Amino acid sequence: MQEEKNDAVIYYSVKYQGDWDSIGRALINHEPYEKLNLKEKAVTIFDPRYPVSLRRLRFPPWVFFYRGELGLLYKKGITIVGSRNLEPYAAHMTKHIVESVGKKYVIVSGLAKGVDAIAHASAIKCGARTIGVIGCGLDVIYPRENRILYENMEKNHLIITEYPNGTKPLRHHFPWRNRMLAAMGEKTIVTEAALHSGTMNTVNEAISLSREVWCLPYPYGDESGRGCDLLISQGANILYEEAQLETL
């Protein structure tokens, strides 16, 4: 029975290119399906290997595809997010934070340019483990500048996505992807965020899951960090001294 459910979900995911609502309707309507011979490994919501962290979401992925070490999903994770076009301060602090917390946590981020790429690369450099959650198929490297990082992570760390091979990195995939980022970290750290960014979406998801949110403070009038300052004013934890990193 479980194998049949797994086959159905995977088939619907491929048919509807990972669209959550379409997969759900297909399951409710018992649409016909067939067993597919996939190139990628997959874990469905009916699989006992499906992580508890993702089950807690209001809209848990029906299935995720992965490359790398699945076991990293069951270790303590910390999510690090921020701007794609970041300032030197954020780049420096992202590296420093990863070096500090990577001893205790798997570093989770979105494999985008900017803070995400620096978080993953810093984790690899300091000997920590890292997970990338992407908004397209595993056979689509986006952005292209992260190719070397991607190839390292798929072999030695973990990359996951709810989108089957061939799915393009469409704009609306990334805000939706962010709920997974929030769920997979016991805490979320924001190293840079403008007022209107996908990072704020990730934070909202983390708050809905009762996750701790930590933000770097920025000077008055600094547009690159106004999102961080706003979050702090709304109750997020302010990350302002070394001792805090040691107790996270």
Side-chain angles (χ1 to χ4, degrees):
M1 187 66 174
Q2 178 191 314
E3 185 175 350
E4 292 175 355
K5 289 181 178 179
N6 289 341
D7 291 343
V9 170
I10 291 171
Y11 179 85
Y12 301 146
S13 177
V14 172
K15 179 179 179 180
Y16 295 111
Q17 291 196 302
D19 183 77
W20 196 93
D21 289 326
S22 298
I23 297 168
R25 284 194 296 269
L27 285 167
I28 292 171
N29 296 329
H30 301 287
E31 288 186 12
Y33 68 90
E34 58 187 72
K35 184 177 178 62
L36 301 177
N37 292 317
L38 292 180
K39 174 184 177 183
E40 309 295 352
K41 298 173 184 176
V43 174
T44 81
I45 198 168
F46 302 111
D47 192 316
R49 297 175 298 166
Y50 194 94
V52 173
S53 60
L54 293 180
R55 289 191 190 278
R56 293 189 180 125
L57 285 167
R58 182 182 178 190
F59 302 106
W62 296 111
V63 58
F64 63 84
F65 306 89
Y66 71 95
R67 291 182 184 178
E69 185 181 334
L70 185 64
L72 293 180
L73 281 178
Y74 313 117
K75 299 179 181 294
K76 289 197 304 182
I78 193 163
T79 299
I80 299 179
V81 292
S83 303
R84 285 176 167 79
N85 300 308
L86 72 169
E87 299 296 325
Y89 168 68
H92 169 74
M93 288 305 299
T94 300
K95 294 175 185 177
H96 180 65
I97 290 168
V98 169
E99 290 169 359
S100 298
V101 304
K103 303 167 188 175
K104 297 185 291 184
Y105 295 99
V106 174
I107 305 300
V108 180
S109 199
L111 243 175
K113 64 182 292 189
V115 166
D116 291 12
I118 290 174
H120 294 305
S122 299
I124 293 169
K125 185 175 181 180
C126 74
R129 309 308 301 279
T130 186
I131 300 172
V133 187
I134 62 175
C136 53
L138 289 168
D139 60 339
V140 180
I141 298 176
Y142 178 82
R144 302 294 294 180
E145 64 196 68
N146 283 349
R147 172 178 287 279
I148 294 176
L149 179 60
Y150 186 103
E151 291 173 349
N152 186 322
M153 289 178 62
E154 70 177 355
K155 293 176 183 176
N156 305 307
H157 298 271
L158 179 65
I159 301 175
I160 74 170
T161 180
E162 63 186 309
Y163 299 103
N165 277 1
T167 306
K168 296 179 180 180
L170 302 178
R171 182 181 295 273
H172 66 275
H173 288 175
F174 295 95
W176 187 241
R177 177 276 314 265
N178 290 346
R179 77 197 195 288
M180 296 174 65
L181 287 175
M184 291 166 59
E186 295 188 2
K187 310 172 194 290
T188 294
I189 298 178
V190 184
T191 57
E192 182 179 297
L195 279 179
H196 306 290
S197 67
T199 298
M200 304 296 277
N201 176 269
T202 305
V203 169
N204 289 335
E205 291 286 354
I207 292 171
S208 72
L209 293 166
S210 300
R211 300 286 201 262
E212 287 185 17
V213 177
W214 292 80
C215 298
L216 289 179
Y218 279 75
Y220 178 88
D222 189 331
E223 292 295 327
S224 66
R226 284 189 68 193
C228 287
D229 289 342
L230 174 64
L231 291 170
I232 291 168
S233 74
Q234 293 175 338
N237 297 289
I238 179 172
L239 187 55
Y240 66 92
E241 63 179 356
E242 193 68 18
Q244 293 173 303
L245 290 175
E246 297 172 4
T247 58
L248 281 177

